[in-house]
Amino acid sequence: MIEAQVLPTPTGPLALLSHEGLVVAAGFTADPHQMFLRLPPRLQAYGLRRVEDLGHPAQAVRDYLDGELTALDGVALTQPGTPTRQRLLTALREVPAGTTIGYAELAERAGLPRTAARAAGAACAQNLIAPFVPCHRILPSAGGFGGYYYGTPVKQWLLTHEKALAQTSVL
């Protein structure tokens, strides 16, 4: 069974989905079913049920919101993807709170050429576990916030919460 919990955050509700102790999806929505539908069919086959408390992942979110910006880093998670996408997601998870990088740099950190910036962007766009896999910390080299699945205001709030906005030169 996929278990789901919705937590309040200053930028709106955050749905967390977990299976066998691993976070498999997280996103800024009040409806965990929206996140459930983005899961691969093999996980959807388990079904979805809401629970009161997912334990460690939920506490990590509360700690993150209380200012412990590394709290999400230790949460166990899994999401599908090719070996290249997995390398990009691993590199993405290693971008520390309070910093931002561009898509080309993310590609380099994953062992790919800078010209793989589009692949890095695609990995961010398909990320199922925001903000645990912090795609909000990736900004376009042309400036601005770029896209974000949950909207630019959520991305801006996360970066402000992490105090990354004052440290970036791309805005």
Side-chain angles (χ1 to χ4, degrees):
M1 184 66 61
I2 305 292
E3 296 181 322
Q5 178 181 357
V6 178
L7 294 165
T9 79
T11 192
L14 177 67
L16 303 178
L17 279 67
S18 178
H19 178 65
E20 297 180 350
L22 298 172
V23 174
V24 295
F28 290 92
T29 176
D31 182 5
H33 195 271
Q34 286 181 341
M35 298 305 305
F36 180 76
L37 292 175
R38 295 181 66 200
L39 294 175
R42 67 176 178 76
L43 287 177
Q44 288 184 26
Y46 290 109
L48 177 69
R49 108 180 127 113
R50 287 180 89 140
V51 297
E52 289 298 314
D53 188 7
L54 284 176
H56 177 63
Q59 186 58 50
V61 169
R62 289 188 284 271
D63 293 344
Y64 170 82
L65 294 172
D66 286 342
E68 189 180 323
L69 300 180
T70 60
L72 304 179
D73 297 349
V75 175
L77 51 82
T78 185
Q79 61 180 311
T82 65
T84 297
R85 182 170 169 214
Q86 291 299 323
R87 286 177 25 212
L88 286 160
L89 293 172
T90 298
L92 183 55
R93 197 145 194 231
E94 293 169 355
V95 177
T99 63
T100 60
I101 64 171
Y103 294 99
E105 184 175 341
L106 177 61
E108 279 186 327
R109 289 182 181 199
L112 302 170
R114 289 184 69 80
T115 54
R118 283 185 177 219
C124 289
Q126 296 170 4
N127 175 24
L128 296 176
I129 312 177
F132 294 84
V133 178
C135 51
H136 62 276
R137 297 178 190 153
I138 312 304
L139 299 175
S141 60
F145 290 104
Y148 189 63
Y149 190 86
Y150 303 102
T152 303
V154 173
K155 185 173 188 171
Q156 185 174 7
W157 185 90
L158 290 166
L159 291 173
T160 300
H161 175 67
E162 296 177 355
K163 298 173 180 47
L165 289 180
Q167 296 180 19
T168 182
S169 61
V170 287
L171 297 179

